[in-house]
Amino acid sequence: MPPLNAVIRAVSSLLTAAAVCFALPVRAEDKPAPQKVIIDDEGFSLMHMMLLNSPQIDVVGVTSVTGNWWAPRGAALQLRGLELMGRTDVPVAQGAVYPLMNTEKATERWEALYGKLTWKGAWMKQWVEPTQQSTPPYYTPYDLSNLPWGAPTTKVASKMAAVFMIEMVRKYPGQITIVEGGPMTNLALAQRLDPEFASLAKGLIYMGGSFNPHRVLDDRSAVEFAREFANSPRREFNIRLDPEAASIVSRAPWKQITVIPVDPSTATQLSRKLLDRAAKGAKPELGKVIAGFEPGFPLWDEIVAAVLLDPSVVTGAEDLYVDYDAAFGATYGDTLSWREHYQPGLGEQKARVVMSVDPRKLDEVIVKAVAAK
């Protein structure tokens, strides 16, 4: 048996070695690499700020599509937003100006046949009935006047959005998640141009679709937005503007699809309190933009960003096969869904559908994500 002093010295050496090991800094190569994403949307919102400001995310590009705003205006907002964030290293590619088939005139004809739509995005001229939210100004497709943060000095990329996306997923096969906050026109064009587009991406997460949302909050603005779903629970704007594109994308061979429908949004709100908290913690220039956002809307695209940054905000989800009705009629653009074994088998893909989120945790994720680093 060795002397006691020798045993003590040996144990002491082991403890010292262990302490040194635990004190060593984590090597850069041991940290998970940031997730590469392309953000496709109609403007520049809290979602963009959350993802661009996160060390977890590597935004390789931002693209614009016509939705709430026309694509050219959306690209200008994105360029200016990136300038304010000091992220002009991120390219902006302008996307499709018009949906694949749907038009403003066709939508007016549809309303004459089947009833008024609550929201029409870039085609919106007035609310059907008085609302707490302001009426957005109506612009023609290439009108870039009255940009809220001023005109950008940077320019859009030379390639259109669909081509840019194809090039990126081929450059980084299996690594890029497409984050979709608007209609899916650009994604459908990319898939038709390159049938391998969806399969080369890591996955798709999008805000769109409606399954069976109900009013949760009792304040006036929440009631106004939730009332739309009482008689049309399967209709949602991002899909309704370009149903053909949504159906093409839903049948594309993505490795994984996450759907954030309007269902969880009815329990959330972009309140003045939330905006003030987020603005206070952000860098000054960004804080001014955040403070200037109009409150009273549900949180939509912000849920998409939050699910990427902290999946624990999800409190309920279901795996469903999802597609969208592209036949011009009363249900044009409506969400179609099936559980396993009941799908028609026309190419529709299984998706993870987020049905509910934790509103308080969501607010915290937003505030933390936009905070000055």
Side-chain angles (χ1 to χ4, degrees):
M1 183 175 182
L4 180 60
N5 287 344
V7 173
I8 292 173
R9 284 196 298 271
V11 172
S12 178
S13 297
L14 287 171
L15 291 174
T16 302
V20 170
C21 288
F22 282 115
L24 287 174
V26 177
R27 295 176 301 173
E29 57 266 29
D30 293 333
K31 295 180 180 179
Q35 182 175 180
K36 295 184 185 299
V37 306
I38 293 174
I39 307 173
D40 186 53
D41 199 10
E42 61 263 273
F44 193 82
S45 67
L46 274 174
M47 174 185 72
H48 295 78
M49 299 174 190
M50 292 167 69
L51 297 178
L52 285 158
N53 204 42
S54 172
Q56 301 171 232
I57 303 295
D58 175 15
V59 180
V60 301
V62 174
T63 54
S64 71
V65 65
T66 291
N68 291 331
W69 305 110
W70 293 100
R73 188 176 188 83
L77 291 169
Q78 291 165 355
L79 288 168
R80 184 61 182 142
L82 289 167
E83 289 174 357
L84 293 171
M85 289 192 71
R87 292 301 309 274
T88 54
D89 57 303
V90 178
V92 174
Q94 182 183 303
V97 177
Y98 298 99
L100 297 186
M101 295 291 294
N102 195 22
T103 65
E104 187 172 357
K105 286 293 185 183
T107 298
E108 291 172 357
R109 177 60 58 87
W110 187 95
E111 288 185 301
L113 293 170
Y114 303 114
K116 304 302 181 186
L117 295 170
T118 302
W119 178 251
K120 291 182 285 187
W123 303 334
M124 190 78 173
K125 294 178 180 176
Q126 63 183 29
W127 296 98
V128 176
E129 56 184 313
T131 65
Q132 184 175 343
Q133 289 74 30
S134 61
T135 301
Y138 179 83
Y139 297 102
T140 54
Y142 295 94
D143 182 353
L144 301 183
S145 63
N146 302 317
L147 292 169
W149 315 314
T153 58
T154 48
K155 304 296 182 183
V156 294
S158 59
K159 298 180 176 67
M160 295 299 291
V163 175
F164 173 79
M165 287 193 225
I166 291 170
E167 290 186 352
M168 287 298 100
V169 298
R170 288 194 168 277
K171 183 177 180 180
Y172 303 107
Q175 299 181 56
I176 292 181
T177 298
I178 305 295
V179 179
E180 180 58 74
M184 300 194 207
T185 316
N186 292 331
L187 303 187
L189 289 170
Q191 184 61 27
R192 284 297 188 251
L193 286 169
D194 182 355
E196 292 185 310
F197 168 69
S199 63
L200 287 169
K202 181 178 180 181
L204 167 68
I205 179 169
Y206 69 89
M207 192 277 135
S210 178
F211 291 77
N212 193 23
H214 298 280
R215 177 171 65 86
V216 176
L217 303 179
D218 290 327
D219 65 277
R220 179 183 165 190
S221 63
V223 171
E224 288 175 347
F225 274 97
R227 70 188 173 200
E228 174 183 1
F229 308 116
N231 296 300
S232 41
R234 290 271 165 163
R235 184 186 304 153
E236 185 275 326
F237 167 73
N238 280 350
I239 306 301
R240 178 58 182 73
L241 192 80
D242 197 342
E244 290 81 7
S247 185
I248 289 171
V249 172
S250 296
R251 299 183 186 198
W254 303 93
K255 291 182 176 70
Q256 58 184 27
I257 304 173
T258 302
V259 181
I260 313 295
V262 291
D263 299 62
S265 73
T266 59
T268 71
Q269 190 173 61
L270 186 65
S271 65
R272 172 48 58 191
K273 180 180 178 181
L274 175 59
L275 286 170
D276 289 344
R277 285 184 63 203
K280 184 178 180 181
K283 292 179 180 179
E285 285 299 317
L286 198 59
K288 291 177 184 178
V289 173
I290 295 172
F293 285 145
E294 182 178 357
F297 294 88
L299 294 168
W300 291 308
D301 298 351
E302 294 80 7
I303 301 178
V304 176
V307 170
L308 274 176
L309 297 174
D310 185 356
S312 71
V313 300
V314 177
T315 57
E318 186 173 0
D319 290 332
L320 296 169
Y321 288 87
V322 178
D323 199 352
Y324 297 98
D325 189 347
F328 190 88
T331 58
Y332 184 52
D334 278 11
T335 304
L336 306 173
S337 62
W338 307 266
R339 289 191 173 91
E340 188 72 67
H341 307 303
Y342 291 89
Q343 71 274 17
L346 299 175
E348 60 284 337
Q349 301 294 303
K350 184 182 286 187
R352 187 67 170 167
V353 182
V354 173
M355 295 298 190
S356 60
V357 297
D358 182 333
R360 291 184 180 179
K361 182 173 284 188
L362 174 63
D363 287 359
E364 296 307 314
V365 172
I366 292 170
V367 172
K368 180 181 178 182
V370 300
K373 299 295 190 286

